[in-house]
Amino acid sequence: MRVTAENLAAALFQASPDRVEILDAEGRLVDMNPRGRALMEIDDFAAVRDRPWVAAWPGEGAARAAAALAEARLGRAGFFETEGPTAR
């Protein structure tokens, strides 16, 4: 099998030990890697797909997530720290 950027990115997404999420331009969840789904206790990703990513963070975490998303929209890396919620 020929290694391409696309299949390498897909393999890294699937195998990452970290929670990795893919968002659309509006900041809604498109996909989440298996480790992220396990950490958030998500059994059925379809139930959270297309939800606003910022809404997943409780309390002050939502403001921090919104600031990180704003940075990403400007083409910069957005970082924040907060308690990690679960889907339940």
Side-chain angles (χ1 to χ4, degrees):
M1 180 168 112
R2 182 173 171 260
V3 176
T4 66
E6 286 179 3
N7 61 26
L8 179 59
L12 290 170
F13 175 76
Q14 293 295 320
S16 176
D18 298 315
R19 179 173 143 190
V20 180
E21 298 157 328
I22 298 174
L23 309 178
D24 67 11
E26 301 301 316
R28 293 182 302 258
L29 283 170
V30 172
D31 203 358
M32 184 182 298
N33 71 332
R35 178 66 176 153
R37 292 177 190 200
L39 288 169
M40 292 199 58
E41 300 177 358
I42 296 172
D43 296 324
D44 179 16
F45 186 75
V48 297
R49 179 181 286 121
D50 295 325
R51 285 189 184 172
W53 178 71
V54 171
W57 303 99
E60 189 178 310
R64 292 177 182 165
L69 186 57
E71 288 294 308
R73 285 184 172 137
L74 294 173
R76 299 188 290 249
F79 298 97
F80 72 103
E81 289 184 30
T82 192
E83 294 293 318
T86 62
R88 295 179 187 184

